[in-house]
Amino acid sequence: KRPNVLFIMADDMRPEVKAQVHDKSPWLEPNMHTPHLDELAGDGVLFRRAYCQFSWCNPSRTSLLTSRRPDTTRIYDNRVFFRTVNPDFTTLPQYFKENGYTTLGFGKIFHRMRHPDTEDNKYSWSEHMFVPDNDLLFPETGPQWQAVDAAQRNGHVLLDESVTTAAKNALKQVAADWKENEKNFFLAFGLRKPHLKFIFPEKYMEYYPLDDVGMPVNPTLSDSSPDIAWIKNTELHGAPEYSQFMEGLSRNNSLPYVIVRDLRRAYFSCISYVDDLVGEILKDLNDLGIANDTVVSFIGDHGYHLGEHSMIGKNTAFEVANNSPMIIRIPGVTDGGHVSDKLVEFVDLFPTLAELSNLPNVPYCPGKRNESRGVSLCTEGTSLVPLFRDVNTTQWKDRVFYQYPHRNSVGGPFCMGYSLRTEQYRYTEWVKYKFRSWDSADWNDVCAVELYDHHVDPHETNNVAADPVFLEIRQELSTKVRAGWEAALP
């Protein structure tokens, strides 16, 4: 029988899951409190080397939900809904809906909530996405982080609590339909946290005493990294409590220690809050007796700087902005759990869930992006199913790709940072870029180059692109990043 699918996504979440802590990512907080995600990982596959395709919400979600890379979707910011550019692209929930599943969406799945078009109600969902009642919600105003107590709530619920309640009620309904009529469901559950503002129930702060909060070892940008690699993140702009510090923020001047420490503590508290909400859904899945009939997928949409390289936020090519959690549990297949360090990408998720659900295989997209635009259903990723059959297989891609654009100077032209991540290296080639042209990237006009050896420099503090010792490696990686994803297929 086809399994059901529970698809869970958190917003702006680094892979800060206790089960993921290991020596290859020393920037992770070792004292995370995430018992429910740890339990999910203990019964699934935890992919420690999972990468988004673009470290910003709308482009990343568009990419993973259509299984197309940003240069194909042409979505590079948070303003444009993907169907205004690509009206016929098939989304992940839409594909399940077209194959007979009841598809329901709760919370933040597509980038924006509360608007019928940007929620993709017409195409992706069997029913309109759940919209919370504003009058019942705790207003997210005031400081950028708040540990909220019962008195402050004054009878209101936090947004993610409202979404969780609605998702749990729907789960009961689709579970009954599954048991009585064998009607499959695809339920998408999207949490807004740990996105700013960091607002969470105060009890979660007890897991992170001030003196135990880990701080970044790379609080400013290395002198060896090019200027284009750094951006004054807009996450805290407009926040009066930080305005005096934001003016002086630069690649060589980070926010004060106390501010970074407090923001990190609040962020980690938000993740523990998210963990509990995920735990509620997973408990109901078990209590309803359908856990053995349901594939569970958990991801974040991208990573996040928490003071690393003098930044708070995403929007970069650095490891911390692009590595995000991915856990997949398949009943009867991943029992007992496994940790994988294979390189995987978010565009891999669509064809994976389709294959696991015995849906018709999603074909690869044509190599040329302008040809792919005319194809409704295709993937620029690779199904992860071979990794479930043999976790140690050597028949897998040895590199993954992501990108992000920056200006090379204030008011200057845009350059696209095309990044390639191998097991050992992160290589980024910044090239001149024209957004309205199909031949957007001018590979003959290179703005800057970055190369970091993660075996000795996991914090990305030493750009060795100009080091003669790495000349051959740089040339090899340059050839591969220019060849693109098609040349990396296993």
Side-chain angles (χ1 to χ4, degrees):
K1 293 189 292 187
R2 286 179 172 176
N4 305 304
V5 177
L6 175 59
F7 178 85
I8 309 173
M9 192 182 331
D11 200 3
D12 283 17
M13 184 170 168
R14 294 153 54 115
E16 298 284 358
V17 178
K18 180 74 171 181
Q20 179 143 341
V21 173
H22 59 117
D23 57 358
K24 293 184 178 180
S25 294
W27 45 274
L28 291 173
E29 169 61 43
N31 299 313
M32 292 300 300
H33 180 81
T34 54
H36 304 294
L37 289 172
D38 295 343
E39 183 178 358
L40 181 64
D43 210 19
V45 175
L46 170 64
F47 292 96
R48 298 196 297 198
R49 286 286 171 263
Y51 292 86
C52 67
Q53 272 50 73
F54 203 100
S55 58
W56 206 1
C57 299
N58 190 34
S60 176
R61 289 166 184 266
T62 295
S63 177
L64 72 91
L65 289 168
T66 64
S67 200
R68 321 277 185 118
R69 296 171 191 268
D71 273 354
T72 301
T73 67
R74 316 297 284 180
I75 301 300
Y76 302 106
D77 59 36
N78 282 348
R79 295 174 295 176
V80 180
F81 185 54
F82 79 96
R83 287 211 188 271
T84 64
V85 182
N86 310 288
D88 298 324
F89 278 9
T90 300
T91 70
L92 172 61
Q94 180 183 352
Y95 192 51
F96 277 79
K97 178 183 176 182
E98 291 173 349
N99 280 278
Y101 278 65
T102 297
T103 58
L104 302 175
F106 299 85
K108 187 175 179 183
I109 304 299
F110 295 95
H111 173 59
R112 291 187 178 92
M113 298 166 59
R114 309 187 183 195
H115 188 283
D117 293 333
T118 55
E119 290 166 347
D120 215 44
N121 286 320
K122 178 180 177 181
Y123 299 94
S124 294
W125 309 114
S126 300
E127 301 175 8
H128 278 206
M129 287 194 75
F130 166 73
V131 177
D133 185 342
N134 259 342
D135 293 335
L136 301 178
L137 297 181
F138 178 82
E140 294 204 356
T141 56
Q144 291 297 301
W145 73 268
Q146 298 178 61
V148 181
D149 61 24
Q152 288 173 285
R153 285 175 176 246
N154 192 26
H156 291 85
V157 296
L158 301 182
L159 172 62
D160 282 339
E161 292 171 342
S162 175
V163 169
T164 302
T165 299
K168 291 173 65 176
N169 290 335
L171 191 60
K172 294 177 184 177
Q173 296 174 13
V174 293
D177 204 12
W178 164 247
K179 291 178 178 179
E180 295 173 10
N181 307 309
E182 293 193 353
K183 177 66 173 178
N184 284 108
F185 66 83
F186 178 102
L187 194 149
F189 173 50
L191 293 158
R192 187 76 167 83
K193 298 305 174 211
H195 192 289
L196 274 173
K197 297 179 177 183
F198 303 149
I199 299 176
F200 54 92
E202 65 172 351
K203 66 179 182 179
Y204 293 103
M205 292 192 77
E206 69 186 38
Y207 298 122
Y208 307 101
L210 271 179
D211 294 340
D212 294 340
V213 176
M215 295 293 288
V217 301
N218 49 353
T220 57
L221 189 65
S222 166
D223 290 340
S224 61
S225 298
D227 285 339
I228 199 169
W230 189 84
I231 183 173
K232 182 181 283 190
N233 299 89
T234 60
E235 299 285 306
L236 299 178
H237 284 188
E241 68 266 39
Y242 302 125
S243 58
Q244 61 177 313
F245 305 106
M246 292 301 294
E247 291 301 320
L249 188 65
S250 70
R251 58 174 288 160
N252 299 314
N253 186 31
S254 60
L255 290 170
Y257 174 95
V258 173
I259 291 178
V260 174
R261 180 201 61 188
D262 288 349
L263 287 171
R264 288 173 71 89
R265 186 188 188 196
Y267 181 91
F268 298 149
S269 298
C270 279
I271 288 183
S272 291
Y273 168 47
V274 163
D275 179 80
D276 263 1
L277 298 179
V278 171
E280 289 187 32
I281 294 288
L282 295 178
K283 182 179 184 302
D284 280 9
L285 198 69
N286 279 298
D287 291 348
L288 291 166
I290 56 173
N292 290 334
D293 303 309
T294 306
V295 171
V296 178
S297 168
F298 175 85
I299 58 170
D301 59 353
H302 50 71
Y304 203 81
H305 288 258
L306 287 172
E308 294 89 357
H309 309 291
S310 188
M311 288 182 275
I312 300 290
K314 49 264 188 180
N315 309 105
T316 77
F318 286 100
E319 179 84 359
V320 294
N322 292 277
N323 184 203
S324 202
M326 179 188 285
I327 305 171
I328 299 177
R329 189 192 75 185
I330 311 167
V333 176
T334 61
D335 299 351
H338 180 75
V339 174
S340 173
D341 283 324
K342 296 293 185 183
L343 291 157
V344 300
E345 307 170 271
F346 283 3
V347 286
D348 298 336
L349 197 55
F350 188 153
T352 300
L353 295 178
E355 186 171 356
L356 290 175
S357 302
N358 296 316
L359 304 189
N361 282 345
V362 182
Y364 281 119
C365 294
K368 294 183 179 180
R369 292 188 296 274
N370 55 346
E371 294 177 2
S372 177
R373 286 196 73 189
V375 179
S376 174
L377 174 70
C378 67
T379 179
E380 294 179 349
T382 305
S383 171
L384 302 171
V385 167
L387 299 184
F388 299 122
R389 294 196 181 106
D390 178 6
V391 294
N392 297 312
T393 181
T394 58
Q395 301 300 310
W396 189 248
K397 51 190 169 186
D398 63 357
R399 54 196 185 272
V400 294
F401 302 83
Y402 54 89
Q403 62 188 95
Y404 200 87
H406 282 171
R407 292 185 186 273
N408 61 355
S409 61
V410 177
F414 274 104
C415 300
M416 183 65 76
Y418 287 99
S419 294
L420 177 150
R421 183 68 161 89
T422 69
E423 187 275 331
Q424 182 170 359
Y425 298 104
R426 191 264 285 181
Y427 177 79
T428 301
E429 201 159 320
W430 297 89
V431 299
K432 289 286 179 64
Y433 196 84
K434 297 179 181 179
F435 284 98
R436 297 184 179 180
S437 167
W438 272 113
D439 296 320
S440 303
D442 185 354
W443 293 97
N444 295 316
D445 195 343
V446 178
C447 310
V449 176
E450 295 177 82
L451 175 60
Y452 302 94
D453 183 349
H454 274 253
H455 280 188
V456 297
D457 182 28
H459 296 287
E460 298 185 324
T461 59
N462 184 24
N463 177 22
V464 297
D467 189 333
V469 173
F470 290 88
L471 178 60
E472 288 188 11
I473 292 172
R474 172 177 165 172
Q475 291 173 337
E476 176 189 350
L477 296 179
S478 177
T479 299
K480 289 181 176 180
V481 79
R482 293 172 181 230
W485 66 272
E486 302 95 330
L489 291 176

